[in-house]
Amino acid sequence: MKNWKINLQASSLIALVFLLIAADHIDAPAVSGGSADITDFYAFQGENTENLVFVANLQGLMSPTESAAASFDEGVLVEFNIDTNADAVEDLVIQAIPRDGKMYFFGPEAPTSPGTSSSILTSASQYVVDISSYGQEAIIATEAGVSVFAGPRDDPFFMDFAQYGEVISGNAAGFNDPGADSFAGTNVMSIAIEVPKSQVGGSGTINTWVESKRLQ
């Protein structure tokens, strides 16, 4: 039943085409403050040193009240890009898209075409997890050595925006110690996947970036 449901969902996604419209850190007017607005991207070695972890956070600066009502946009595809040969072109992608309270992941897999337009890679390895609710213990699904998560989380980014403004305007020489965390008490919608390094390939060094793409 589980596989049937995933495959059915994938079939409904196969013809969808997503186009890049996003940047990050609230600096793209087309997405600022919206459901495709990427706040941060993290890629790091997992606690299991044979794994890599990719995390994309969206919809930043949410209050607890906003977080309780927040959801992922089913018209937005999040795509982790992986360049394995240093030519600044994605050789592999991991796609994440929500449907009906679940987050579906596809890949790592070679994209059908690099660049700003994407289709769902339904022939790639697939993973699914129930989207965690605000205040709920994180739901993590693990299958074939791959772990996935999606849901609201505390924003891990730290920045003293007020002091940054003072530095930029020439009113201060640097940051205070201690500073003030402008993101304290705010949340993001987070998507995370941990994969074995063997699935990413390459010669030991990769370039990686993340995009959000809206259904056209």
Side-chain angles (χ1 to χ4, degrees), residues 108-179:
E109 181 85 356
T112 53
S113 61
T116 58
S117 179
S118 295
S119 298
I120 300 297
L121 299 171
T122 54
S123 62
S125 299
Q126 302 173 20
Y127 310 94
V128 61
V129 63
D130 291 334
I131 296 173
S132 298
S133 300
Y134 179 67
Q136 177 189 24
E137 185 172 348
I139 301 172
I140 299 172
T142 300
E143 181 178 351
V146 175
S147 296
V148 292
F149 165 83
R153 294 285 96 181
D154 179 73
D155 192 338
F157 192 74
F158 181 96
M159 178 72 178
D160 188 340
F161 267 132
Q163 188 64 15
Y164 172 74
E166 292 297 309
V167 172
I168 292 298
S169 61
N171 297 324
F175 287 92
N176 299 318
D177 184 13

Side-chain angles (χ1 to χ4, degrees), residues 29-48:
V31 298
S32 179
S35 58
D37 190 0
I38 300 169
T39 64
D40 287 293
F41 168 50
Y42 306 91
F44 53 91
Q45 183 171 269
E47 181 178 9
N48 179 343

Side-chain angles (χ1 to χ4, degrees), residues 59-60 73-74 127 197 202:
Q59 306 181 41
D73 187 337
E74 294 193 358
Y127 310 94
K197 292 178 181 176

Side-chain angles (χ1 to χ4, degrees), residues 1-204:
M1 179 63 77
K2 180 180 178 183
N3 290 335
W4 174 84
K5 188 170 184 179
I6 293 174
N7 291 335
L8 176 64
Q9 191 68 55
S11 296
S12 69
L13 294 170
I14 190 169
L16 304 182
V17 176
F18 295 81
L19 294 176
L20 174 68
I21 60 169
D24 61 274
H25 274 95
I26 321 177
D27 58 3
V31 298
S32 179
S35 58
D37 190 0
I38 300 169
T39 64
D40 287 293
F41 168 50
Y42 306 91
F44 53 91
Q45 183 171 269
E47 181 178 9
N48 179 343
T49 58
E50 296 300 317
N51 292 345
L52 288 176
V53 181
F54 300 89
V55 181
N57 290 336
L58 299 93
Q59 306 181 41
L61 299 174
M62 294 191 300
S63 69
T65 299
E66 292 170 328
S67 303
S71 63
F72 291 101
D73 187 337
E74 294 193 358
V76 173
L77 170 72
V78 172
E79 195 165 73
F80 299 95
N81 298 281
I82 303 164
D83 165 28
T84 61
N85 57 9
D87 64 355
V89 176
E90 62 269 37
D91 301 295
L92 299 169
V93 297
I94 300 171
Q95 300 176 328
I97 187 165
R99 281 292 184 279
D100 300 327
K102 299 179 184 296
M103 185 66 73
Y104 291 83
F105 295 80
F106 300 86
E109 181 85 356
T112 53
S113 61
T116 58
S117 179
S118 295
S119 298
I120 300 297
L121 299 171
T122 54
S123 62
S125 299
Q126 302 173 20
Y127 310 94
V128 61
V129 63
D130 291 334
I131 296 173
S132 298
S133 300
Y134 179 67
Q136 177 189 24
E137 185 172 348
I139 301 172
I140 299 172
T142 300
E143 181 178 351
V146 175
S147 296
V148 292
F149 165 83
R153 294 285 96 181
D154 179 73
D155 192 338
F157 192 74
F158 181 96
M159 178 72 178
D160 188 340
F161 267 132
Q163 188 64 15
Y164 172 74
E166 292 297 309
V167 172
I168 292 298
S169 61
N171 297 324
F175 287 92
N176 299 318
D177 184 13
D181 182 8
S182 302
F183 295 89
T186 68
N187 299 308
V188 293
M189 295 298 285
S190 188
I191 298 170
I193 180 167
E194 179 172 347
V195 300
K197 292 178 181 176
S198 58
Q199 293 190 14
V200 174
S203 59

